[in-house]
Amino acid sequence: MSKLGSLFKDTVIYGMSSIVGRFLNYLLVPLYTAKMSVESGEYGVVTNMYAWTALILMILVFGMETTFFRFADKEKGNVSKVFSMCMQVIALLCAMFLTGVFCGIDSLAGLLGYADHPEFITMMAVVVALDALQAIPFGLLRFQGRAMKFASLKMLNILTNIALNLIVFLLLPLLYEQHPDIVGSFYSPGNQSYYVFLINLLCTSFITLFFIPELKMYRPTGDTTLLKKMLSYSWPLLLLGIAGILNLNADKILYPQLVPGQQGKMELSIYGAAVKIAAIMAMLMQAFRYAYEPFVFGNRDKKDSKALYAKAMKFFIIVSLMAFLCVVFYMDLIKHIINPGYWEGLKVVPYIMAAEIFMGVYFNLSFWYKLNDETWWGAIFSFTGCALLFAVNIIFVPRYGYMACAWASFSAYFVAMTMSYFVGRKRNPIEYDLKGIAGYLLLFGALYAVSALLPVESVAVRLTFNTLLLAVYVAYFVRKDLPLKNIPFVNRFFK
């Protein structure tokens, strides 16, 4: 339990920076949806651009984040060389990327549908390059167990972002009304999406400065043997990552092409805002991932490693299902995060959250091929799911709109998860507690069905009833898998 306790502690620290940070970022969702109407489609522009940057970031990092953990663990006495090699690869890719963007900006802007605003692309190109260069220093903090600095920088970035957004979207419009001549020299009330991208650029540049101490570890290295080994390990991870990002963002990238014009931007605005409601699952995935990678690689040689992985999987599923119920049961409150004009998109939330759970289970399952250095298996699974996602989007989005995007994500991750499980059983079997997990799934399904089917009009009564249903799930969890006597401060009552 001590090893799982360490994983839990790190998950809490990383999770606080991720979950609290994302929660604070929710302040921006009502702000953006209030300032950017559905009719303007500007939130759709923001959604589309962030989808592109997520894909490009994955390409520029080139799988080096996980590769760093793998080789830093193998080369314990020479972590600086591994760090330096990862930085060299990413820096070269970023230089090539930025050169291509700035040299061909006019053609690129026209191709992506932003011929009138090429500055959107240039700003976000610099942002994604800086984010890529930060990936390995952030990884170094995780490898060294410096969770507090990691969390502090993540929180600082988010708080700075929120502060600038409040200034730009709330304070400056008021000042502009009173002093249009002065404020108008540097601020324009139109084109709100421009300021979203500008603020992102300023915040990312600011946080990069805090990595100067870590970057001092960099030493130029020409170790081609190490480079070949790292690239051999990382390129399947790159393919895996690209497929994963496409599974998350292909719908947002494809939508303007599948539903062209202003109608597509409006629908993408609604879908993008609704997906933000489901982001609590993404927070959980991210927090768990930050703590789980070092945990897995650090315990791979332990005698009880497979038992630990099995327990971690079970607890991940338990907590994920609980998070799902929390969002669905309290949707009457949570939906106020976004402007009422976007509420019609809330029907996609359960599908997106289920897809996030499948993705999290898939992430847990993925370590059998990472530890066996068979990362190409992950590429096969992910691209199979990705192909399904593209097919569902292309075939059904023109007819069913953004609902087809939700169906596509659900199907893609379910297929990838299922394939990884059955192949993993043969390549590196782990005895998961399937019976125990099935019990939670049955209870989850029953509670969800009761809440959905109960005809209650009163919001207060519905929330009260859903709270009782959630209490049933929590009570089952405590009774079955969370002995209270093992929890600090609570255990004193069991002595």
Side-chain angles (χ1 to χ4, degrees), residues 44 47-48 52 249-271 393 396-406:
T47 301
N48 179 250
W52 275 111
N249 294 289
D251 48 3
K252 305 172 190 70
I253 293 173
L254 290 172
Y255 211 92
Q257 281 69 48
L258 298 174
V259 185
Q262 190 64 18
Q263 182 66 25
K265 291 180 181 179
M266 291 168 56
E267 292 180 5
L268 185 56
S269 295
I270 295 171
Y271 178 65
N393 273 286
F396 295 107
V397 163
R399 182 174 180 181
Y400 297 102
Y402 52 77
M403 274 306 300
C405 297

Side-chain angles (χ1 to χ4, degrees), residues 40 47 84 98 200 204 250 270 272 279 291 295 298 310 330 425 433 440:
S40 72
T47 301
S84 299
L98 290 176
N200 201 334
T204 304
I270 295 171
F295 172 78
Y330 297 103
R425 284 182 62 182
D433 182 11
Y440 281 98

Side-chain angles (χ1 to χ4, degrees), residues 218-236:
Y218 171 78
R219 298 291 184 275
T221 175
D223 191 338
T224 56
T225 301
L226 176 61
L227 176 61
K228 289 178 181 178
K229 290 180 181 179
M230 293 175 69
L231 291 178
S232 177
Y233 185 84
S234 68
W235 75 261

Side-chain angles (χ1 to χ4, degrees), residues 2-229:
S2 61
K3 294 185 180 70
L4 283 176
S6 176
L7 173 63
F8 176 76
K9 183 192 73 173
D10 286 348
T11 302
V12 169
I13 296 176
Y14 292 124
M16 289 302 290
S17 66
S18 178
I19 295 175
V20 174
R22 290 286 187 94
F23 175 76
L24 292 175
N25 250 333
Y26 269 138
L27 293 174
L28 302 181
V29 179
L31 182 64
Y32 289 163
T33 56
K35 295 295 182 178
M36 304 178 195
S37 67
V38 173
E39 292 73 22
S40 72
E42 282 197 282
Y43 196 69
V45 172
V46 173
T47 301
N48 179 250
M49 285 297 298
Y50 279 140
W52 275 111
T53 56
L55 175 60
I56 296 168
L57 177 61
M58 180 59 63
I59 295 172
L60 295 182
V61 174
F62 207 82
M64 284 291 157
E65 190 175 11
T66 300
T67 300
F68 170 74
F69 282 109
R70 178 65 168 133
F71 283 83
D73 187 64
K74 291 173 67 174
E75 306 274 343
K76 290 187 183 295
N78 212 346
V79 175
S80 62
K81 178 186 283 190
V82 177
F83 174 85
S84 299
M85 186 62 76
C86 290
M87 289 299 298
Q88 284 180 185
V89 172
I90 294 177
L92 177 61
L93 291 173
C94 288
M96 295 169 60
F97 167 69
L98 290 176
T99 300
V101 168
F102 282 98
C103 289
I105 183 60
D106 292 334
S107 299
L108 186 60
L111 180 65
L112 297 179
Y114 298 108
D116 295 334
H117 296 287
E119 69 276 9
F120 291 178
I121 297 174
T122 55
M123 285 191 292
M124 294 309 292
V126 176
V127 168
V128 76
L130 291 175
D131 279 339
L133 291 171
Q134 290 178 13
I136 303 305
F138 268 123
L140 178 65
L141 295 180
R142 291 164 57 198
F143 181 79
Q144 294 175 337
R146 298 162 65 191
M148 291 305 298
K149 180 171 182 178
F150 179 101
S152 297
L153 289 180
K154 290 290 185 181
M155 287 297 298
L156 178 61
N157 182 39
I158 291 168
L159 291 174
T160 305
N161 189 295
I162 291 173
L164 290 177
N165 270 280
L166 293 177
I167 291 172
V168 168
F169 287 99
L170 294 181
L171 179 60
L172 289 183
L174 293 176
L175 296 177
Y176 180 82
E177 291 180 0
Q178 299 173 5
H179 308 285
D181 295 337
I182 300 175
V183 179
S185 63
F186 59 87
Y187 170 78
S188 173
N191 196 12
Q192 303 297 321
S193 51
Y194 168 83
Y195 294 106
V196 175
F197 303 138
L198 177 61
I199 290 169
N200 201 334
L201 174 60
L202 294 174
C203 292
T204 304
S205 302
F206 175 59
I207 293 300
T208 303
L209 299 175
F210 288 88
F211 283 114
I212 292 176
E214 284 70 33
L215 292 174
K216 289 180 179 179
M217 181 186 287
Y218 171 78
R219 298 291 184 275
T221 175
D223 191 338
T224 56
T225 301
L226 176 61
L227 176 61
K228 289 178 181 178
K229 290 180 181 179

Side-chain angles (χ1 to χ4, degrees), residues 289-310:
R289 177 178 177 270
Y290 283 149
Y292 197 52
E293 277 188 323
F295 172 78
V296 168
F297 285 118
N299 288 283
R300 74 182 191 281
D301 296 325
K302 302 294 191 301
K303 186 181 300 184
D304 61 344
S305 61
K306 290 189 176 182
L308 287 172
Y309 301 157

